[in-house]
Amino acid sequence: MRPELIRSSGTAAADASATANPQPLEQPQPVQEDQSLGFLNHDPKLADTGLFQPLVEPRHQLKADSPLLYRLQQLDSPLDQLPPPSEPVETQPPLSSEEITAGVSQANENLVQNLVSFAKGLPEFSSLPMSDKKLLLQHHWLGLNVWEISNNSVPYNGYIRFSDTFRLHESHSSQHSRSFSSRAGQQMRTFIRRLTSLQVTRLEFLLLKAIFLLDADAQTEWSNREAIDAAQNCYLVELAKVCGDPTRKSTLLMLFGTLSAMKIHSVGFWASVIERTKYLPQPLLSEMLEFSLKPQESDLL
């Protein structure tokens, strides 16, 4: 996020139709039509798969006090509450590396699709040049996926919750290290605890999601940087009203720096998945990964 903003270092939720374990990594996921960053004509219908079954009652109730907040409410896709485990987590058999990789990968595919739908629903984003829209999504999808997963895991109860149907408990972290590094897990859990202590509201979460998406860094060549800044400012103004306290607003904006740092572990996870498995991402995620896994000039500065 730019210095003046204090820089520190989907549509609907997925239908709970899957009752089976994630698909074997050797098999490619079903390809949806027109699934790429030509996203203005793309409105994916998501189907989540995983190891746990969701409930149907929404976790969050929003009160929209302005047209912008009402629009964000319409774009929101909160997860439903999960029932408690049927047996103590200590007695549950650990998941295999393949199950973890498949669950995390499937969750991220759905999150990317939801992010595209969210972005399309923001008029300020949709009015930007196509090249800028693509770059914003490519630069921020990793951090925004972490943002979504972390908020889905609040209040923290030992689980990182990746989707309606897939979650990992901290007591199994050492057994997950081959597919999901202990350091990445520790950093994410620390971040989730931080969000829990801050008591980030759903409105704050949605506003920050839009603000983080519309952040134009100084190193990238944008077609219309001024338009991106103006779009982001709409949500910054609304965040100031929702927070009330300038100190709280500044504290929340500083979370963007933590997300940026956590992207390093996300890149490492995906590089490992591509190298050691036969996982074939869907076209939209594949396009994002192609951008994220190549060295970026800004990462070397």
Side-chain angles (χ1 to χ4, degrees), residues 245-263:
D245 178 12
T247 301
R248 179 169 179 80
K249 175 189 173 185
S250 298
T251 299
L252 294 180
L253 290 174
M254 290 177 66
L255 296 172
F256 185 74
T258 304
L259 287 179
S260 298
M262 292 172 70
K263 285 168 58 176

Side-chain angles (χ1 to χ4, degrees), residues 1 10 17 37 58 72 75 100 105 111 136 154 161 188 196 210 229 232:
M1 182 163 291
S17 59
L37 276 181
L72 287 177
L75 295 172
I100 294 171
S105 300
L111 287 170
L136 286 170
V154 171
R161 190 178 178 198
M188 183 172 285
T196 301
D229 291 346
Q232 186 189 54

Side-chain angles (χ1 to χ4, degrees), residues 104-119:
V104 173
S105 300
Q106 181 67 59
N108 274 271
E109 287 188 346
N110 290 341
L111 287 170
V112 168
Q113 293 171 355
N114 274 337
L115 176 60
V116 168
S117 295
F118 177 84

